[in-house]
Amino acid sequence: MSDTQITITLPDGSKRQYAAGATIKDVAASIGPKLARDAVGGILNPQDGNDEIIDVHTPLKGDCGLKIITVNKPEGLEVLRHSASHVMASAVQRLFPGTQVTFGPAVENGFYYDFKRDEGFTPDDLEKIEAEMKKIVEANQPFVRAEMSRDEAKALFAAKGETFKVEHIDSIPVDATITTYTHGDWVDLCRGPHVPATGLIKAFKLMSVAGAYWKGDEKNPMLARVYGTAFWDQKALDEHLSKLEEAKKRDHRKVGKELDLFSFHPVAPAMPFFHAKGAFIYNQLIEFIRGYYRVLGFDEVITPQIVDMDLFKRSGHYDHYRENMFLCDVDGREFGVKPMNCPGHTLIYSNEKRSYRDLPFRVADFCRLHRYERSGVTAGLTRVRSFAQDDAHIFCREDQIAEEIGTQIAMMKDIFGHFGMESQVGFATRPQQSLGTEAELSASEREAWDQVWMRAEGSLKDVLDSEKLTYTTHKGDGAFYGPKIDFRVKDAIDRWHQLSTVQLDFGLPRRFDLSYVNHEGGESRPVMVHRAMLGSIERFMGILIEHTGGDFPLWLAPVQVRIIGITDENALYATEIQKKLQSLGVRAKVDHRNEKLGFKIRDAEMHKIPVVLVVGKKEQEARSVSVRWRKRGDLGVMQLDPAISLVLQAAAIPSPGEALMGRVQEVARL
RNA sequence: GCCAAGAUAGCUCAGUCGGCAGAGCAGCUGAUUCGUAAUCAGCAGGUCUGGGGUUCAAAUCCCCAUCUUGGCUCCA
């Protein structure tokens, strides 16, 4: 093999010749000694988008593109973390003989390793493991890659009593090369890649212990998972840890309690009780969305909470979703609490004969939904059993899909712009198992479905392209019943959340035999679009609380203005201002407590009140107010009326922006 | 559901070896009438999540239940 030459193409376009089997180490060494020292891995064929990362030990067997990764580079972090997980596993097996190893990959913010150890691990154990890891790092042991046959590998791990590894070898594809990585005297079955030596793992920390099933399947044995994280240097690790601290401070469960927004009670697990202030925000968000519906031609409907399961049999929920539904018996009939609005909306659609002229038919619904989530998976407001969505369904003709989706994308960008959130688009295409692939279908039926999917995916793609959006395609990630577009938004502390979704549905219209009278007087089947912008109001509130840290924009603040009199003598004037503000729709309260100004200011700050108006003798005589704006501080004294208009300006519910309105007008002209 | 940890005053938390239930903040009362992030004093506040057990004695040890929290394959 070594007599053949291979060509490596570097990112600058230059090509270099090497003997087949050369490694990144060889390539780096041929370029320069510094690169040779700093190289920790490489990306194979960086242009093709697959980003296959290999390490410095992996032989390069054919012509390829190569980008060398050096220390301190973000691309190398997952290599570093995977190596850290090996170091951790070796430390664990040193400290706790008899513990079996399983999987230990790098994950988004660190790494983990799953162990088979019936006793599990305690927080004290983590400290011991960390100390042991430090020793291995200090020893700076090189990672050594080796290839071996399937039987050799099985014999090696069987001899060590590693039954999980042996089991796993059997599930590795036959054509794959089986490799092991060794550092010191510790060897693991591993695909790699790894950093050159343990000494590079300078900054790491073990975070927590958790249970996890072998291969994620709850029928399999429970393993003990240890989570950790690693960075190239201590500074980056410290930054990561302080980010976690920041997230903890903003935790919506904590802020929600402090600001008296909501509570939970054991009598209704995972179902929030919204207090006055939380309910205000909830309703205000809905009002915000209604503003868009008014201009975009959505009509709001209200549908029953509890429905005969017959409806859900027809919609398919009975077969596929019953486990997640709350059921009840009504006069001997089986009823279900609705987990989704769509089946109900199809009834409204088919309540009368529809013409192609009636389409698109858009119905919105803020009704509460209930889903039985398994007891272990609920969390604060972000995963609940009782919630509402800014849900809507569009029934339209196939030729209207592009226009409708385009508007939804524009709406999404407009909405999250108001919250100062950046967004990202994902396009999910037809899954392997999907409508039109059923075994019982005839060839011509399959052919027809293939056409439907192709047209639908084509029109979604056209929209994404014509809106000039950058998006990532998730092949086969669409719903069973149609392709979808998902939006992720980034919050103030750089976390991404999937919120909006726009999904095409060919299934429900067929199940409910929906139709419209077409141009030729015949019957056609409409397409249904499921879409939500904020998603679940509850979850969005949770994210919004963490995004803002509880500092809501003025239009969402339950109390916008607090008026503070300096002494009792200012109480009447303070109340007069409150009444005036209230008459203009401003949510204002007076702090009448017998406390010093400093105390009341502090209290208002702690409650994150956006605007504080201080009135004393001077202001009262001049009919002015001293304005203190949150995050901006003392703005000084001004006359009452200008101060009020200042507040009113910032207090309006944001409305659809110009770009979106322009779009609506264009549509109206068509 | 499973693994692990937790639940003490409205909130945040302390409570040693099993031996009388604690603090700060919030609340209430009184004094103080004060100019931009905490005035002083006093008072009240508890079925230690619920149930069972061990013990002379349980917030503390054991068992069961409930709820909450962190997890439960972005593939060796």
Side-chain angles (χ1 to χ4, degrees), chain A residues 354-656:
Chain A
R354 304 285 169 186
S355 145
Y356 72 97
R357 295 168 188 276
D358 296 333
L359 304 184
F361 179 75
R362 310 185 189 92
V363 277
D365 198 328
F366 296 104
C367 285
R368 297 204 60 77
L369 304 171
H370 293 79
R371 297 179 186 172
Y372 172 75
E373 301 283 358
R374 297 202 300 172
S375 61
V377 304
T378 59
L381 288 182
T382 49
R383 187 94 182 254
V384 287
R385 288 175 172 168
S386 166
F387 62 101
Q389 292 178 320
D390 61 334
D391 191 19
H393 295 97
I394 303 166
F395 300 80
C396 65
R397 295 181 253 125
E398 247 191 71
D399 63 285
Q400 292 172 321
I401 291 174
E403 181 54 44
E404 290 304 306
I405 305 293
T407 305
Q408 294 312 303
I409 292 172
M411 178 176 175
M412 188 279 306
K413 285 169 77 175
D414 199 88
I415 284 176
F416 293 107
H418 287 303
F419 294 105
M421 289 165 149
E422 185 190 322
S423 54
Q424 237 183 28
V425 184
F427 174 37
T429 62
R430 186 179 189 178
Q432 289 278 311
Q433 290 292 312
S434 57
L435 262 186
T437 62
E438 297 90 335
E440 64 272 19
L441 292 182
S442 70
S444 63
E445 282 171 317
R446 277 165 188 267
E447 171 74 29
W449 273 114
D450 288 349
Q451 291 295 323
V452 169
W453 276 93
M454 257 176 52
R455 281 199 304 272
E457 288 184 358
S459 55
L460 289 191
K461 209 166 147 21
D462 288 347
V463 179
L464 290 169
D465 292 336
S466 70
E467 299 286 326
K468 296 193 179 57
L469 291 169
T470 47
Y471 59 92
T472 46
T473 303
H474 307 289
K475 271 190 104 158
D477 237 13
F480 172 79
Y481 48 74
K484 62 181 180 181
I485 294 176
D486 288 325
F487 303 98
R488 298 198 310 153
V489 303
K490 191 165 88 167
D491 72 13
I493 51 174
D494 298 336
R495 295 173 306 182
W496 288 92
H497 307 275
Q498 204 252 293
L499 293 176
S500 317
T501 178
V502 179
Q503 309 184 353
L504 296 189
D505 186 350
F506 313 122
L508 275 190
R510 192 178 55 140
R511 282 178 171 274
F512 285 93
D513 195 24
L514 303 184
S515 66
Y516 62 88
V517 178
N518 61 31
H519 196 65
E520 285 78 38
E523 301 249 304
S524 291
R525 179 95 66 216
V527 177
M528 210 172 156
V529 180
H530 306 254
R531 47 107 285 162
M533 291 288 128
L534 306 179
S536 138
I537 308 292
E538 277 74 1
R539 191 166 95 92
F540 184 73
M541 268 180 74
I543 290 165
L544 184 68
I545 289 168
E546 300 187 5
H547 176 61
T548 60
D551 271 309
F552 300 109
L554 205 54
W555 66 277
L556 274 172
V559 175
Q560 295 169 308
V561 177
R562 189 179 279 184
I563 305 147
I564 299 178
I566 290 177
T567 75
D568 288 349
E569 305 195 342
N570 313 119
L572 264 172
Y573 181 51
T575 306
E576 187 195 326
I577 295 171
Q578 179 196 21
K579 284 194 174 145
K580 183 152 188 187
L581 283 166
Q582 282 175 337
S583 74
L584 293 165
V586 177
R587 303 178 289 279
K589 290 259 159 54
V590 182
D591 186 345
H592 279 302
R593 290 175 296 180
N594 177 9
E595 294 288 351
K596 290 166 80 167
L597 178 59
F599 178 92
K600 292 190 200 177
I601 294 278
R602 179 180 151 83
D603 190 71
E605 291 286 350
M606 302 287 278
H607 285 90
K608 303 182 195 288
I609 310 291
V611 180
V612 174
L613 300 180
V614 178
V615 292
K617 197 173 172 196
K618 280 184 294 185
E619 287 81 2
Q620 191 164 342
E621 281 166 3
R623 297 199 62 76
S624 61
V625 287
S626 171
V627 181
R628 189 186 162 99
W629 210 281
R630 187 156 166 84
K631 303 275 178 183
R632 287 161 66 189
D634 192 348
L635 301 187
V637 178
M638 59 179 87
Q639 285 304 112
L640 184 54
D641 288 340
I644 288 176
S645 40
L646 205 62
V647 172
L648 284 174
Q649 253 172 38
I653 298 180
S655 47

Side-chain angles (χ1 to χ4, degrees), chain A residues 260 262-275 385:
Chain A
D260 192 24
F262 55 83
S263 57
F264 286 91
H265 302 274
V267 289
M271 305 193 198
F273 288 69
F274 284 109
H275 302 187
R385 288 175 172 168

